[in-house]
């Protein structure tokens, strides 16, 4: 395997809820880093990873508890800078000869606190304590506290509950803070990471241009002369995966776009056209709408719908994939948060549903190996890579669209008539959102057709037509969401446009349920 040539920073995770944010802050500084759970960090793995600096994350445990998490001793002996955060500070002090005491009410701190500096200001604090107040707001979350610092360390900042809020051994480039600089509530926290990586000698060489070149080399090495298949949904992850692979291996890649008849208005044509016009990628446009809609006839239970679609998707994908000679690899758009979740020692409970789950089960069934070129990236980095690869902005910024498509936006039985109405109404709704400049403020917006007809009056006649629900939410990751607060004018105008322009709808509701208790999709 090609080794990544960047300077690498290792984050040893002791189980903090916010460890991922440390990685975010570092990536924003163009520093390549990886999070490894503490149990997996050994002398040998440290040597192999060869970090240029190490960060110890926070964590929920107490260093005084027998068997609580520790970094390997070798971490302190590698001669590289270390930054300890919260539990990471305590573990460092404890390991290096200081003393930690159990939390007492008077010294525990949770939430906002203010740190004031001592007389000496090391380079690590460059840019801090500059706004005239003489203090910095920080976010604390600790029960235990350091009672005695380790030999060689000095104190550079204190807070009412943490007399050793900022400490450092400048001769060894070891820094240790009691608060969390990675969170939003430490407003100047990013500066500390910037100072730390500068002191550690990082040059900020983690750029998308460099990543693209590296990944291309890695893919070529992994795949050799074999053939790769890639399920293309038109979403940003699968599109970026496909384009990157195409740059790497050209004709050895075949993409399969499965049209299950549950796509939005003109979606199949647009995705296929975008790929055919802009990229010379071998693309199979599998129109299987009759198969899917046939199997879904009369099905109204949400779980049965999902299972039927999931099973058919695998069958269809397998049918096309097995026609491709020498197919040895399946490309997936797995992202870094999925990778972290799956190795997290705290066993993060979240299940992120992603489009590539649509082909889950295939690799084992067909004996395919996986190519996952995005597995080191966060979602916004995938967008940046898409931009770097020249993917049109309209594709990069698209709202997520679920694998089961319109089926889960059509509660009750699915009919072609309902799907037609839904497609048209959804297109008007999205057009309204775009015209009002709101598209990029919203995580996801769509229309759903409700399993009911209501009475209305249009002109001088009675109507008995479908009711429609409009949904729009803001979210960071789709796990929780708030409904979007449209103005009444917007809602009124949109409702009028839909009823005037889409035959078959005579009533429009706006769904103002957040998640939880609702989910984003209706089913
Ligand atoms: P829910 O409805 O669970 O949706 O709040 C959260 C996010 O996941 C998307 N979603 C899916 N995506 N296959 C997908 O590819 C699925 O089966 C699926 N179900 C929900 C949903 O659109 C939202 O972005």
């Amino acid at each position: 395997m090609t080794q990544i040539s960047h300077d690498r920073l290792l984050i040893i995770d002791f189980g903090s809820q916010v460890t991922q944010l440390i990685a975010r802050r570092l990536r924003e500084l163009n520093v390549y880093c990886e999070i490894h759970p503490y149990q997996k960090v050994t002398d040998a793995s440290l040597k192999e990873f060869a970090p240029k600096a190490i960060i110890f994350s926070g964590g929920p445990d107490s260093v005084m508890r027998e068997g609580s998490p520790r970094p390997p001793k070798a971490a302190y002996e590698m001669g590289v800078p270390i930054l300890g955060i919260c539990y990471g500070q305590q573990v460092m002090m404890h390991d290096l000869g200081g003393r930690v005491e159990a939390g007492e009410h008077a010294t525990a701190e949770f939430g906002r606190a203010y740190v004031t500096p001592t007389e000496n200001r090391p380079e690590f604090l460059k840019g801090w304590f500059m706004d005239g107040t003489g203090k910095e707001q920080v976010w604390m979350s600790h029960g235990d506290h350091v009672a005695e610092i380790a030999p060689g360390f000095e104190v550079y900042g204190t807070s009412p509950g943490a007399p050793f809020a900022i400490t450092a051994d400048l001769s060894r480039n070891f820094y240790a803070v009691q608060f969390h600089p990675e969170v939003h509530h430490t407003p100047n926290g990013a500066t500390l990471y910037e100072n730390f990586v500068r002191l550690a000698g990082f040059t900020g060489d983690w750029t998308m241009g460099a990543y693209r070149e590296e990944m291309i080399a890695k893919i070529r090495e992994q795949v050799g002369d074999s053939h790769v298949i890639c399920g293309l949904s038109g979403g940003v992850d699968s599109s970026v995966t496909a384009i990157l692979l195409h740059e790497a291996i050209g004709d050895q890649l075949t993409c399969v776009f499965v049209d299950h008849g549950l796509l939005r208005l003109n979606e199949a044509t647009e995705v296929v056209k975008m790929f055919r016009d802009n990229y010379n990628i071998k693309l199979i446009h599998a129109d299987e709408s009759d198969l899917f809609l046939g199997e879904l006839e009369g099905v109204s239970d949400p779980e049965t719908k999902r299972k039927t679609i999931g099973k058919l998707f695998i069958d269809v994908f397998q049918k096309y994939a097995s026609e491709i000679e020498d197919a040895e690899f399946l490309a997936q758009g797995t992202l870094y948060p999925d990778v972290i979740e799956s190795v997290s020692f705290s066993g993060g409970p979240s299940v992120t549903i992603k489009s590539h789950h649509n082909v889950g089960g295939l690799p084992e069934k067909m004996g395919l190996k996986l190519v996952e070129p995005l597995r080191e990236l966060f979602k916004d980095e995938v967008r940046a890579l898409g931009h770097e690869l020249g993917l049109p902005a309209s594709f990069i910024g698209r709202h997520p669209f679920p694998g089961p498509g319109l089926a889960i936006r059509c509660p009750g039985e699915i009919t072609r008539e309902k799907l037609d109405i839904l497609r048209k109404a959804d297109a008007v709704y999205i057009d309204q959102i775009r015209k009002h400049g709101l598209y990029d403020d919203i995580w996801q917006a769509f229309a759903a057709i409700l399993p009911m007809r209501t009475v209305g009056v249009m002109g001088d006649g009675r109507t008995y037509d479908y009711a429609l629900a409009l949904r729009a939410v803001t979210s960071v990751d789709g796990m929780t969401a708030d409904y979007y607060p449209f103005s009444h004018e917007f809602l009124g105008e949109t409702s009028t446009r839909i009823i005037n322009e889409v035959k078959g709808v005579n009533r429009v509701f706006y769904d103002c349920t957040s998640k939880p208790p609702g989910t984003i999709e209706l089913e």
Side-chain angles (χ1 to χ4, degrees), residues 306 353-358 400-404 408-409 443-444 446 477-479 515 518-523:
R306 280 180 172 274
I353 304 165
K354 307 181 77 56
S355 50
H356 67 259
H357 289 186
N358 291 332
F401 185 65
I408 55 176
R409 297 176 178 177
W443 159 270
Q444 203 170 1
F446 57 87
D477 50 14
M479 303 302 289
K515 173 183 178 177
T519 53
I520 295 177
E521 303 291 344
L522 268 68
E523 291 189 333

Side-chain angles (χ1 to χ4, degrees), residues 122-174:
E123 270 295 296
F124 178 61
L125 293 179
K126 192 173 174 202
W128 263 44
F129 309 113
M130 304 290 280
D131 71 355
T133 63
K135 56 190 181 182
E136 287 280 348
Q137 182 187 313
V138 299
W139 190 66
M140 293 279 191
S141 182
H142 66 103
D144 293 355
H145 65 276
V146 175
E148 203 180 296
I149 48 174
F153 279 77
E154 298 279 336
V155 181
Y156 294 104
T158 63
S159 77
F164 305 118
I166 303 172
T167 58
D169 174 345
L170 301 181
S171 65
R172 284 188 283 183
N173 254 335
F174 288 176

Side-chain angles (χ1 to χ4, degrees), residues 45-73:
S45 77
L46 269 177
K47 202 167 162 211
E48 190 192 340
F49 190 87
K52 199 178 176 78
I54 301 174
I55 292 182
F56 297 165
S57 83
D61 217 322
S62 166
V63 292
M64 271 122 28
R65 191 185 66 76
E66 180 110 0
S68 54
R70 291 283 183 280
K73 286 274 178 290

